[in-house]
């Protein structure tokens, strides 16, 4: 039976043992804690496995045999969460430290909205209290007055996308629309996934739900180097293959992307690396397609019991879909 307020938290980590411990303690210390916590350990080799075994024995751990990146980690973690009879899934990065009432505020906004929105996102700040520019959702372009009023009634703002730093996902919507695209590996996986969940529905930004995003520096990475390949390839995939954005939205966000790329080149000290990433990313984005998430995740899980996880080709956990149908 579906529990209407049951929340599963999913944290994805890779080689950030100290930050992970701080994150998990903050998640466990919520005034309204999640009913279950899942950690996806992306093949860390910095003592994370020992930390989880020794200090967090009540946390469910899924360890991969290889680093799947943030995209694969969240796809795997969300799939595991959706195997439970939960109403919502709280996705967090391992360097996210939620304030004690962060989840309570997300729950309150979700429950007070009238019908469950596709997602509710937290306000992410940096260590000095400033809003983190990497994780501040923009208000939804063209939101109608009725939508704005409904969001305002629960202390929120309508948005069109969100990040995985801290976002409460409606489980029913995720079961219907599928998992994050694991083959993105890193960058833009959260943008693609959340726009796909929100399209034709509602997404909310809840400023009262505050988390600290402990990145090494304030703001975006100005010199991504060869990793710029993922930014370019994934954006091309998103604009040409994802159903998350409409035609007009692709023009709007495409223009914003080009301006951001131009700024990255202007501020970079290694433009050759960016040029390599740009060229390779465009080629890969146009001439290849993301692999099925099931194929990316297949065989990547270290599961002592030997139990397998099944996905349908569309990226939705097959056993969850069948069980939901059986529950009526």
């Amino acid at each position: 039976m579906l529990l209407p307020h049951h929340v599963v938290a999913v944290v994805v980590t890779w080689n950030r043992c100290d930050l992970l411990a701080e994150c998990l303690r903050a998640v466990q210390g919520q005034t309204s804690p999640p009913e279950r916590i899942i950690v996806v350990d992306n093949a860390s080799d910095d003592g994370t496995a020992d930390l989880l075994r020794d200090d967090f024995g009540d946390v469910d751990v899924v360890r991969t045999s290889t680093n799947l990146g943030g995209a694969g980690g969240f796809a795997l973690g969300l799939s595991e969460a959706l195997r439970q009879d939960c109403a919502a899934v709280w996705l967090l990065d391992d360097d996210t430290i939620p304030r004690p009432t962060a989840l309570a505020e997300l729950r309150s906004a979700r429950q007070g909205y009238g019908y469950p929105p596709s997602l509710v996102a937290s306000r992410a700040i940096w260590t000095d209290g400033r809003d983190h520019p990497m994780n501040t959702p923009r208000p939804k372009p063209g939101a109608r007055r009725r939508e704005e009023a409904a969001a305002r009634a629960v202390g929120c703002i309508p948005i069109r996308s969100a990040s995985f730093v801290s976002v409460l996902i409606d489980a029913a919507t995720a079961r219907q629309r599928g998992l994050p695209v694991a083959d993105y590996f890193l960058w833009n996986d959260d943008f693609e996934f959340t726009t796909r969940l929100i399209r034709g529905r509602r997404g909310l930004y809840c400023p009262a739900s505050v988390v600290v995003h402990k990145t090494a520096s304030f703001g975006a990475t100005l010199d991504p180097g060869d990793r710029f390949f993922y930014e370019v390839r994934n954006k091309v995939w998103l604009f040409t293959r994802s159903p998350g954005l409409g035609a007009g939205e692709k023009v709007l966000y495409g223009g914003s992307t080009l301006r951001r790329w131009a700024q990255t080149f202007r501020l970079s000290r290694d433009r050759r690396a960016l040029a390599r990433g740009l060229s390779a990313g465009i080629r890969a984005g146009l001439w290849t397609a993301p692999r099925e998430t099931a194929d990316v995740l297949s065989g990547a899980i270290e599961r002592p019991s030997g139990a397998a996880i099944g996905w349908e080709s569309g990226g939705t956990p097959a056993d969850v879909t069948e069980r939901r149908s059986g529950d009526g």
Side-chain angles (χ1 to χ4, degrees):
M1 178 179 178
L2 184 67
L3 303 176
H5 305 305
H6 193 100
V7 173
V8 175
V10 172
V11 180
V12 176
T13 190
W14 180 69
N15 282 352
R16 287 200 283 213
C17 191
D18 292 341
L19 280 172
L20 174 64
E22 188 176 0
C23 170
L24 291 178
R25 292 187 186 104
V27 170
Q28 292 175 329
Q30 293 292 294
T31 58
S32 177
E35 281 67 30
R36 183 184 176 203
I37 302 173
I38 299 173
V39 174
V40 177
D41 177 8
N42 253 334
S44 300
D45 57 8
D46 66 340
T48 291
D50 294 336
L51 169 78
L52 292 170
R53 183 190 63 242
D54 296 341
D55 296 348
F56 297 98
D58 55 343
V59 169
D60 295 323
V61 178
V62 180
R63 180 173 169 83
T64 65
S65 56
T66 186
N67 183 7
L68 300 173
F74 280 111
L76 177 57
L78 180 58
S79 176
E80 287 284 284
L82 293 179
R83 292 160 67 87
Q84 312 302 310
D85 288 324
C86 63
V89 182
W90 188 22
L91 304 180
L92 303 109
D93 273 338
D94 58 358
D95 58 354
T96 299
I97 315 301
R99 294 278 173 83
T101 61
L103 182 55
E105 296 291 353
L106 294 177
R107 287 187 196 255
S108 176
R110 169 185 161 83
Q111 294 163 14
Y113 193 64
Y115 61 92
S118 293
L119 60 84
V120 187
S122 298
R123 176 191 174 203
I125 62 175
W126 198 48
T127 53
D128 62 1
R130 288 181 290 171
D131 283 349
H132 206 304
M134 289 176 61
N135 314 116
T136 303
R138 291 183 293 179
K140 179 181 177 179
R144 302 193 177 204
R145 290 184 180 179
R146 180 179 297 179
E147 183 177 354
E148 290 178 342
R152 191 163 52 247
V154 292
C156 294
I157 299 168
I159 56 174
R160 190 62 183 86
S161 66
S163 80
F164 286 158
V165 166
S166 173
V167 60
L168 187 65
I169 299 293
D170 180 61
T173 305
R175 289 185 178 105
Q176 181 185 65
R177 298 201 168 181
L179 302 171
V181 182
D183 214 18
Y184 274 46
F185 191 72
L186 60 85
W187 289 351
N188 297 308
D189 50 309
D190 46 7
F191 182 56
E192 190 281 332
F193 176 67
T194 58
T195 55
R196 177 158 38 95
L197 258 59
I198 294 173
R199 187 174 184 183
R201 303 192 182 187
R202 303 291 173 86
L204 302 177
Y205 171 55
C206 181
S209 172
V210 180
V211 302
V212 180
H213 191 196
K214 286 196 168 184
T215 55
S217 60
F218 180 75
T221 301
L222 296 180
D223 262 325
D226 291 331
R227 292 187 301 165
F228 192 56
F229 164 82
Y230 294 105
E231 158 67 14
V232 175
R233 182 199 64 178
N234 296 350
K235 275 283 171 53
V236 175
W237 276 350
L238 191 155
F239 290 135
T240 60
R241 302 177 185 277
S242 171
L245 297 174
E249 292 176 317
K250 290 179 181 179
V251 173
L252 175 66
Y253 288 109
S256 175
T257 294
L258 292 176
R259 288 192 297 272
R260 190 162 54 251
W261 288 357
Q263 181 183 36
T264 300
F265 269 88
R266 181 172 59 84
L267 298 176
S268 175
R269 296 181 180 179
D270 189 0
R271 293 177 182 172
R272 289 186 178 181
L274 294 184
R276 289 195 303 270
L278 178 66
S279 176
I282 290 175
R283 289 197 306 272
L286 292 176
W287 295 106
T288 68
R291 292 173 292 167
E292 294 287 346
T293 290
D295 294 337
V296 176
L297 302 184
S298 178
I301 307 163
E302 291 185 1
R303 188 178 295 275
S305 65
I309 296 177
W311 293 275
E312 293 177 339
S313 60
T316 303
D319 58 336
V320 172
T321 302
E322 292 164 2
R323 183 169 56 200
R324 186 181 66 156
S325 301
D327 289 341

